[in-house]
Amino acid sequence: MDVIKLYLILLSFFIGIVSVFSQEKSIQIPLTESKYFNENKGNTIDILASTDVWSKDGKTDSILWPIDITIPDEKSKSHNIRKKLYVVTHKILNDSVSVEISIRGNPFIDKDVKFIFHADSLKKWRPKTVPPNILEKVKFAFNFIDENTGSHYSLPWEAYFIPFSVGMTYNDARLNEMPLAVKIGFNKMGKFGEDIIYVSKRMTFNKPEFRIYRDGKNPHEDKFDNNIRYKEKYNLHDTVAINGKFMRIDSLDGSFSVLYLTPVRNYVSDQYISSSLKKELSQYFNPSSKYLVLDFWGT
C-alpha cells in the first residue's frame, strides 16, 4: 500500500508540473521601432576613446572617435565580423557642435549622417535629462560579400549618438569640450494590455533581451513577490507575469516585427512542492536506506 500511495502522490505532483507548461494558442504582439533615445530601454551606453584631436587657433576644433563593432556572422556561422565606424565631432562657430559620419570614412554605410547640438547641452545632458524627441536613431546597413558564394548581403546596425560623457571626464581636457557616447543596439517595443515590452539586441550578442514595464512606466526588477519571480531582463522561453497574466516568451520573427507569447495556465513559480506534500514524501526518503528506486513513465 505504501508503494501505491507513493506512486499516487508522485503522479499528482507531476501532473501539477505538467500543468505549468500547458499552453494555449500563441498571442502575437506587433513590435514598432523606438525612434528616439527616451523611448529606448535596454542596451549599454559606451564611453568612446578618441583617435585624433585637431585644434585651431589654440582651441579644440574636431575629434575623431572610432567605434569598435563586432557583429555575429549570421551567414558563415564560423567567425564574427569586426569593423570600425568612424565618427567626427566638429565645433561650429562658438555655440554648436556637429556629430558627423561620412561615407568617405565609412564606405560600408549608405548615406552621410550629421547632427548639430548646442554646445551648452553637451555639459548638461545625462541619460535621464535628455529632452524628449531630441536624439534620433541612426540606422545603417553593413554590406558584406559572402566569400564562399560571392553574393552580397547586409546586416542592420542602429545607434544613438549622445553628446555627453555620462558623468565621466577624459584625461585629455580637450575631449571634455566635445564629449561623445554611443548606445548601440537593435531596439523595438510592443504593448500587451497596459504593459510595454521592450526588445533589445546588441550587435555583439546573438540573443535578444526583454524588459517589461508595468503600465508602460514601472520596470520589472530582480525580486520575488507573492511567490512570483520577476527579473530586470528576461530571455526567450522565460515565463513572465505581464498584464495580470502568466505568459511564456516563445519567439521572435526574423525581422523583429512580431513577438509571440503563449499563455501558461496554473503557473507555479520556483516552489513546486508544497509543505504538506513534502511531509508526505519525507517518510520514503529514509537516510538509513541505501537505495530508493523511482520508476517514471508516461505517454
Side-chain angles (χ1 to χ4, degrees), residues 45-58:
I45 294 177
D46 295 316
I47 306 299
L48 301 181
S50 67
T51 295
D52 293 299
V53 180
W54 297 280
S55 298
K56 184 178 181 180
D57 299 328

Side-chain angles (χ1 to χ4, degrees), residues 9-275:
I9 293 172
L10 290 174
L11 180 60
S12 64
F13 165 62
F14 279 97
I15 288 174
I17 293 295
V18 170
S19 69
V20 171
F21 301 101
S22 298
Q23 299 175 347
E24 299 174 356
K25 188 176 180 180
S26 293
I27 296 173
Q28 298 183 20
I29 308 295
L31 299 176
T32 58
E33 292 192 6
S34 312
K35 184 177 181 182
Y36 295 103
F37 173 78
N38 63 323
E39 297 172 341
N40 175 14
K41 302 293 188 293
N43 291 329
T44 302
I45 294 177
D46 295 316
I47 306 299
L48 301 181
S50 67
T51 295
D52 293 299
V53 180
W54 297 280
S55 298
K56 184 178 181 180
D57 299 328
K59 295 183 178 180
T60 305
D61 178 72
S62 302
I63 302 175
L64 177 64
W65 309 89
I67 302 173
D68 291 313
I69 299 171
T70 301
I71 305 176
D73 189 343
E74 299 177 2
K75 299 294 181 178
S76 69
K77 304 291 184 182
S78 60
H79 63 279
N80 291 330
I81 299 166
R82 292 181 174 85
K83 285 188 175 290
K84 289 184 183 291
L85 184 76
Y86 292 98
V87 182
V88 176
T89 51
H90 179 70
K91 186 166 287 185
I92 304 174
L93 299 177
N94 293 320
D95 61 352
S96 296
V97 171
S98 66
V99 177
E100 304 173 11
I101 309 154
S102 67
I103 295 179
R104 186 177 65 177
N106 304 282
F108 45 81
I109 66 175
D110 54 6
K111 65 178 181 179
D112 291 337
V113 176
K114 183 176 182 179
F115 293 111
I116 297 177
F117 302 97
H118 194 278
D120 286 347
S121 66
L122 304 181
K123 297 179 175 61
K124 294 178 180 178
W125 288 356
R126 296 292 181 270
K128 293 184 179 179
T129 61
V130 174
N133 304 341
I134 194 67
L135 295 177
E136 291 192 37
K137 178 165 54 182
V138 179
K139 298 179 67 175
F140 302 107
F142 282 104
N143 300 311
F144 300 99
I145 298 177
D146 190 322
E147 296 178 356
N148 296 323
T149 64
S151 60
H152 293 260
Y153 65 97
S154 296
L155 290 177
W157 186 86
E158 302 178 353
Y160 292 86
F161 291 96
I162 308 163
F164 52 68
S165 58
V166 201
M168 297 179 65
T169 56
Y170 295 90
N171 293 329
D172 188 335
R174 295 175 299 172
L175 304 184
N176 295 318
E177 297 182 33
M178 291 189 290
L180 187 67
V182 66
K183 192 168 191 174
I184 303 172
F186 192 92
N187 308 277
K188 287 202 173 180
M189 54 194 291
K191 195 167 186 181
F192 183 54
E194 298 300 318
D195 292 357
I196 292 181
I197 306 171
Y198 290 90
V199 185
S200 63
K201 179 179 180 292
R202 298 202 74 187
M203 292 296 109
T204 51
F205 297 99
N206 285 310
K207 295 181 180 179
E209 294 179 338
F210 304 85
R211 297 171 186 256
I212 313 296
Y213 279 66
R214 296 189 188 92
D215 301 323
K217 298 177 181 179
N218 303 307
H220 282 199
E221 299 175 346
D222 289 319
K223 66 176 183 180
F224 275 97
D225 188 9
N226 293 325
N227 202 36
I228 298 174
R229 179 73 167 93
Y230 293 96
K231 293 195 230 178
E232 179 185 356
K233 300 176 184 178
Y234 296 95
N235 298 312
L236 281 173
H237 312 308
D238 279 354
T239 296
V240 302
I242 177 172
N243 197 40
K245 301 178 181 178
F246 291 110
M247 309 294 294
R248 183 172 181 267
I249 303 174
D250 269 339
S251 60
L252 283 163
D253 72 337
S255 61
F256 272 53
S257 59
V258 179
L259 171 64
Y260 295 90
L261 302 177
T262 301
V264 178
R265 296 176 296 179
N266 302 324
Y267 176 74
V268 180
S269 188
D270 290 47
Q271 182 182 339
Y272 290 111
I273 305 178
S274 66
S275 55

